[in-house]
Amino acid sequence: MAPELSADYIIVGGGLAGCVLASRLAHSPSKPSVLLLEAGPDPSPTHDVVTPFGGFVLQGSELDWQYRTAPTPTTLNRTHTLTAGKSLGGGSSLNYGGWSRGDVADYDIWRQYAGDDQRWSYADLEQHGFDGPTLITSVAASDPKRKYPLGEPLRQAWKELGVGETAACEGRNRGVSEWFESWIDGNRQPVHQVYPLDGVTVMTGTPVAKVLFADTTSTSLSSGPPTANGVLLQDGRQVFARKEIILSAGALGTPALLQASGIGPAPLLSSLSIPVIYDSPAVGAVYFDHFACYQLFKLHPFPTGLALGHPDLADPAFYKGPQFDCVVNQGVPRPLLEAALDADGITGPERAALLAPGRCFIENLLFYHPYDPKLPVDGSLVVSYVLLTLPSLRGRISLSNQGAKPGQQHIEPNYFATALAAPPLYTACVTEVPPPGLEPLTAESSDADIEARIRAVGVAHFHAAGSCRVGKALNAEMLVKGVDRLRVCDTSVFPAPVGGHPQASMYAVAEMAAEMIVAGAHT
């Protein structure tokens, strides 16, 4: 008989949050045993997850879950493929390395969901964003030769439109700011390479089927909440935890794993013949993502020396990270915003929060590179995107059947399904090179024309979050309500959208979770 597998802490998911937690717990004063279970492989031996173009081509590879959504009526019934890291390092091996924290007001809402727990405020979470092994730099500081020729004219153009400068990563995003990134000397920093995992038992290629509980008989459940004590692996083995189990399987994976374990909406679980451990309607009932519309532009006259591919921009410094250097965050004119909120029926505190001065709903970026393998990199093309940073869409994640394996869950994203989604994305469309078969958008295009384009080509930005929210499915310590010794730490815990790229927020939340766990172990 094979020996029983066990550890003090079991962490399911070896992505950003899982690796941070594993490293911090293993190196805490009591030196507990930590077992990190990752469904995907260790990418280090065969995949380039470090260089910019090495990492970018891994989307769609074996390191990507490639989740498929249900056909989405609000985007012409399209089925969307959602990239999510499926390897040690998770999304930190695939993402573009953007580092933006969002606004103070975003975290005010988080704090309210957490029962006014100050640890969820911007000020407290910010303390976890400066002193860690992942190094952050601005584009300008990354290399003195990495000065894109369109950068300054772009800033000047925004200034002429009345959009002023703002400091990056200081809690007030509105305006033009320098881009910050987690690239160092042209190299990505995958979390499993910068957070030391010595002392951690790492098992890759090890998908988990469900969480196990010590005793789920009716007599046991009547005497107190069920206690999580292990996990069942897809290959049938069982692994047991002496202290706690932490789910870090991602916003698209964790709710499905909880549901498979009997924690979720009781009607759903009963329909799938899954024994109900705890009726938690909030698990998978809501999730949100940033939604974006990309546009391609041809520079005139050509050649201009303004975009990558031109001989004047051949210096390797220009490739030490994604090819852009500034970001613009904007609000929505109040009359448009109020009309959209009226149409969506948003009232009370949520409405007041969205109408608060300074809220940002749009992120604008201009890439000095076409970022499409089907297009020539000859210095003639640039790409812009408009990103909806405070989406009002609310999707849903559920198991499709009792025996569904990781990656087979039912995902309803509901992209572009609310009135509030329209005004931000309508504001930034100008003359372009259109996608095949579509007419170009111009300054004279109607709202209907723009809406039709967005529904036809708009895409997720792979920032899924909120599917197991603090204040709903979890308490302020990220412990799963209704059971003992089970915690969640990944972007599914985010109580509300944050107007920044989620990795900065996730590092802070993971560091905070590690502190909570270590502190709880000594009480």
Side-chain angles (χ1 to χ4, degrees):
M1 175 180 282
E4 179 183 282
L5 291 170
S6 65
D8 292 326
Y9 295 98
I10 296 174
I11 300 173
V12 179
L16 191 157
C19 286
V20 170
L21 285 170
S23 178
R24 293 308 195 200
L25 292 177
H27 293 89
S28 65
S30 63
K31 297 292 190 291
S33 58
V34 179
L35 176 61
L36 182 62
L37 302 174
E38 167 54 42
D42 180 348
S44 303
T46 56
H47 295 284
D48 174 11
V49 296
V50 175
T51 65
F53 289 106
F56 296 162
V57 300
L58 294 176
Q59 290 185 10
S61 74
E62 66 169 337
L63 307 188
D64 182 358
W65 278 105
Q66 301 178 70
Y67 292 108
R68 299 281 289 175
T69 73
T72 305
T74 49
T75 57
L76 305 187
N77 236 30
R78 287 186 289 136
T79 297
H80 298 260
T81 299
L82 307 180
T83 287
K86 184 186 179 183
S87 72
L88 197 61
S92 71
S93 298
L94 298 178
N95 67 26
Y96 279 39
W99 194 269
S100 58
R101 296 193 181 108
D103 281 317
V104 169
D106 300 338
Y107 298 89
D108 288 342
I109 299 172
W110 283 24
R111 174 179 50 77
Q112 293 166 16
Y113 269 98
D116 210 31
D117 189 324
Q118 283 298 126
R119 292 175 297 181
W120 288 88
S121 68
Y122 183 93
D124 276 41
L125 284 167
E126 186 182 34
Q127 303 311 309
H128 299 287
F130 288 104
D131 188 18
T134 300
L135 303 178
I136 309 302
T137 184
S138 67
V139 172
S142 67
D143 191 305
K145 294 184 289 185
R146 191 180 168 197
K147 188 173 182 180
Y148 300 102
L150 265 178
E152 190 53 40
L154 191 61
R155 287 172 180 265
Q156 185 60 38
W158 282 109
K159 183 177 180 179
E160 291 173 5
L161 291 172
V163 181
E165 298 268 344
T166 190
C169 298
E170 294 190 5
R172 295 287 184 270
N173 278 5
R174 181 172 286 199
V176 183
S177 61
E178 191 167 15
W179 183 254
F180 276 66
E181 59 190 11
S182 56
W183 295 86
I184 295 298
D185 198 28
N187 290 322
R188 187 193 300 275
Q189 299 176 84
V191 63
H192 63 290
Q193 295 184 10
V194 295
Y195 275 78
L197 294 178
D198 54 297
V200 177
T201 300
V202 179
M203 295 175 62
T204 56
T206 310
V208 170
K210 66 178 182 178
V211 177
L212 301 172
F213 294 87
D215 187 355
T216 56
T217 63
S218 58
T219 302
S220 171
L221 293 179
S222 65
S223 63
T227 299
N229 71 341
V231 297
L232 174 68
L233 305 182
Q234 283 286 343
D235 62 12
R237 288 179 294 166
Q238 296 182 354
V239 187
F240 294 96
R242 290 181 286 273
K243 293 182 180 292
E244 192 173 302
I245 297 163
I246 304 120
L247 304 184
S248 297
L252 301 175
T254 288
L257 184 53
L258 282 172
Q259 292 169 6
S261 307
I263 301 172
L268 169 68
L269 302 183
S270 297
S271 72
L272 298 175
S273 300
I274 296 173
V276 178
I277 300 297
Y278 182 71
D279 179 13
S280 182
V283 171
V286 163
Y287 97 93
F288 36 82
D289 199 346
H290 292 150
F291 190 69
C293 189
Y294 289 77
Q295 293 179 276
L296 179 68
F297 299 88
K298 192 172 185 67
L299 298 173
H300 296 284
F302 175 74
T304 62
L306 298 176
L308 274 294
H310 189 278
D312 290 351
L313 303 181
D315 194 297
F318 291 116
Y319 292 90
K320 287 192 171 182
Q323 286 77 47
F324 50 87
D325 51 6
C326 68
V327 58
V328 182
N329 285 276
Q330 296 175 281
V332 173
R334 190 178 180 96
L336 290 177
L337 184 56
E338 288 182 332
L341 296 175
D342 289 343
D344 290 335
I346 297 176
T347 60
E350 184 180 4
R351 181 187 183 94
L354 291 169
L355 289 172
R359 296 307 300 275
C360 294
F361 291 82
I362 314 164
E363 178 184 275
N364 296 276
L365 281 176
L366 183 67
F367 299 80
Y368 314 133
H369 188 288
Y371 277 94
D372 185 331
K374 300 186 293 293
L375 296 173
V377 183
D378 59 4
S380 67
L381 298 171
V382 296
V383 172
S384 75
Y385 83 39
V386 184
L387 180 74
L388 184 60
T389 54
L390 289 185
S392 54
L393 66 92
R394 295 294 181 265
R396 183 173 62 179
I397 300 169
S398 59
L399 281 181
S400 54
N401 59 73
Q402 183 181 15
K405 295 181 180 180
Q408 296 178 339
Q409 51 268 59
H410 181 76
I411 302 172
E412 298 176 40
N414 291 331
Y415 299 135
F416 208 62
T418 62
L420 185 56
L425 293 178
Y426 283 179
T427 58
C429 296
V430 296
T431 306
E432 54 159 4
V433 179
L438 298 177
E439 292 297 316
L441 293 175
T442 71
E444 287 73 41
S445 296
S446 67
D447 285 355
D449 294 333
I450 299 171
E451 178 176 327
R453 166 65 68 80
I454 295 167
R455 294 193 188 283
V457 303
V459 292
H461 209 58
F462 313 139
H463 291 170
S467 51
C468 298
R469 294 187 288 169
V470 162
K472 295 294 184 179
L474 315 174
N475 69 14
E477 298 255 330
M478 292 174 270
L479 289 163
V480 178
K481 292 182 178 180
V483 299
D484 285 341
R485 292 175 44 184
L486 181 60
R487 196 182 308 253
V488 174
C489 185
D490 52 35
T491 59
S492 71
V493 312
F494 287 12
V498 61
H501 293 235
Q503 75 159 343
S505 304
M506 192 64 251
Y507 272 108
V509 169
E511 292 278 11
M512 178 174 68
E515 288 184 2
M516 290 174 172
I517 295 168
V518 171
H522 295 286
T523 57

